Amino acid sequence: MNLSRIVTYLLARRDIRAWQAARTTEQHTLAPGADSLPADLVPTVISGDRRDRVLAEFDQHGALVASDPRDAAIFGQAGRHVERHHHRVQVVLTGGHVRVRKQRILPSPAGVRNRLRARIGGALEAASLIRLAGQVPVPALRDFDAGTGTVELDYIWGNDVRRELAAHDGTTDEDELARRFARLVHGGDPVFAGWIRAVGATTVRCGVAPLDMHAGNVLRGGRTGGFHLVDFNLVVLRPAPGWSAAVRGFARLCGLEPGGDIR
């Protein structure tokens, strides 16, 4: 683990402690966004099942599989399911709300190093969502378990841009999808290009520099058509060592030129 990651983790823990100490403030009680999914639209909830439970699970390619076939109209039905490599990402019903629960998949036995990696990744994601809340379209953080690195956040009802780029031919070739995303960013879609430049600049001003920006990290809301950024477990937080290099890399991926406010 390098110095940048260690310092970013310490900064994340500081931000999370402040957030947890203010759980009754407006930041913690942010209203669900327009693209969040109300529980009352889930068929099994409509039928009367309001238990806390797993509603669906994402596979490696971002496809959702509903736990109950009755919810397939909302979440998707069982089909070809590619197991996730690093994180288990589930859509859950908890306290009457539809959320996403994300936690690192650990080997058995997990060992100290893997458990620490899970805690760090979760903390970085939670702290990024805290810094970006109200400034950048991201899901609201709702809960964080520091012991396991599990984050719980609002579920954005829609599709990621990766799946949209693959839709016309069904490709799963990551290099080809990266090329298609780069074309979008650099003017293939002027609306998207303008959005990602503006959001990228604001993300940096909030002190967050993602290290793995790609099409799977951008969701298009199914109700508004608006875009949302997700997945922040690989980031550098200002002012950790490596911040400037991380910003330069992130700026390029967003079609920005580093300098001025982008630093």
Side-chain angles (χ1 to χ4, degrees), residues 32-38 155-158 220-228:
D35 283 316
S36 296
L37 177 64
Y155 170 60
I156 303 299
W157 191 18
R220 187 196 299 269
R223 302 174 110 182
T224 69
F227 296 107
H228 307 260

Side-chain angles (χ1 to χ4, degrees), residues 5 9 36 46 51 94 100-101 120 129 142 179 182 209 259:
R5 187 83 166 165
Y9 176 51
S36 296
I46 294 172
R51 296 171 298 132
T94 176
V100 167
R101 184 174 295 148
I120 291 174
L129 294 174
R142 299 300 179 178
R179 286 190 290 270

Side-chain angles (χ1 to χ4, degrees), residues 11-257:
L11 292 168
R13 288 181 58 184
R14 180 201 65 185
D15 291 357
I16 292 166
R17 283 196 297 268
W19 177 78
Q20 290 173 328
R23 290 175 76 88
T24 59
T25 68
E26 182 181 356
Q27 185 182 44
H28 183 71
T29 57
L30 288 171
D35 283 316
S36 296
L37 177 64
D40 289 339
L41 292 183
V42 178
T44 52
V45 174
I46 294 172
S47 70
D49 188 353
R50 292 185 168 273
R51 296 171 298 132
D52 286 1
R53 53 199 163 90
V54 176
L55 296 172
E57 188 159 347
F58 286 95
D59 80 351
Q60 181 63 26
H61 297 316
L64 260 179
V65 178
S67 300
D68 190 309
R70 292 174 294 172
D71 291 333
I74 295 289
F75 299 118
Q77 55 191 349
R80 184 184 178 193
H81 184 73
V82 181
E83 294 294 330
R84 294 188 68 91
H85 301 155
H86 303 297
H87 292 88
R88 177 169 291 109
V89 185
Q90 299 170 319
V91 181
V92 299
L93 184 67
T94 176
H97 301 285
V98 180
R99 309 285 197 222
V100 167
R101 184 174 295 148
K102 179 177 178 181
Q103 59 189 123
R104 190 169 182 88
I105 298 170
L106 296 175
S108 181
V112 174
R113 183 185 297 272
N114 285 314
R115 293 186 186 281
L116 180 59
R117 185 178 291 120
R119 287 197 292 269
I120 291 174
L124 268 54
E125 177 130 24
S128 296
L129 294 174
I130 291 166
R131 290 189 177 202
L132 297 173
Q135 304 298 316
V136 171
V138 296
L141 177 67
R142 299 300 179 178
D143 202 4
F144 175 66
D145 184 334
T148 63
T150 301
V151 294
E152 196 168 287
L153 50 143
D154 282 353
Y155 170 60
I156 303 299
W157 191 18
N159 278 318
D160 63 48
V161 170
R162 182 190 185 283
R163 297 193 71 200
E164 294 184 1
L165 292 174
H168 78 278
D169 61 2
T171 184
T172 59
D173 184 289
E174 297 297 340
D175 291 336
E176 173 57 24
L177 290 168
R179 286 190 290 270
R180 294 179 188 182
F181 185 61
R183 287 195 291 270
L184 275 185
V185 170
H186 294 283
D189 181 336
V191 173
F192 181 79
W195 176 85
I196 202 165
R197 284 196 297 270
V199 166
T202 303
T203 298
V204 171
R205 285 196 291 271
C206 290
V208 179
L211 299 175
D212 66 340
M213 182 69 183
H214 54 77
N217 293 347
V218 183
L219 301 182
R220 187 196 299 269
R223 302 174 110 182
T224 69
F227 296 107
H228 307 260
L229 287 184
V230 297
D231 196 0
F232 295 95
N233 62 292
L234 287 174
V235 301
V236 175
L237 300 179
R238 186 173 55 211
W243 168 255
S244 296
V247 168
R248 287 194 296 272
F250 178 59
R252 284 193 297 271
L253 292 172
C254 293
L256 292 164
E257 290 295 329

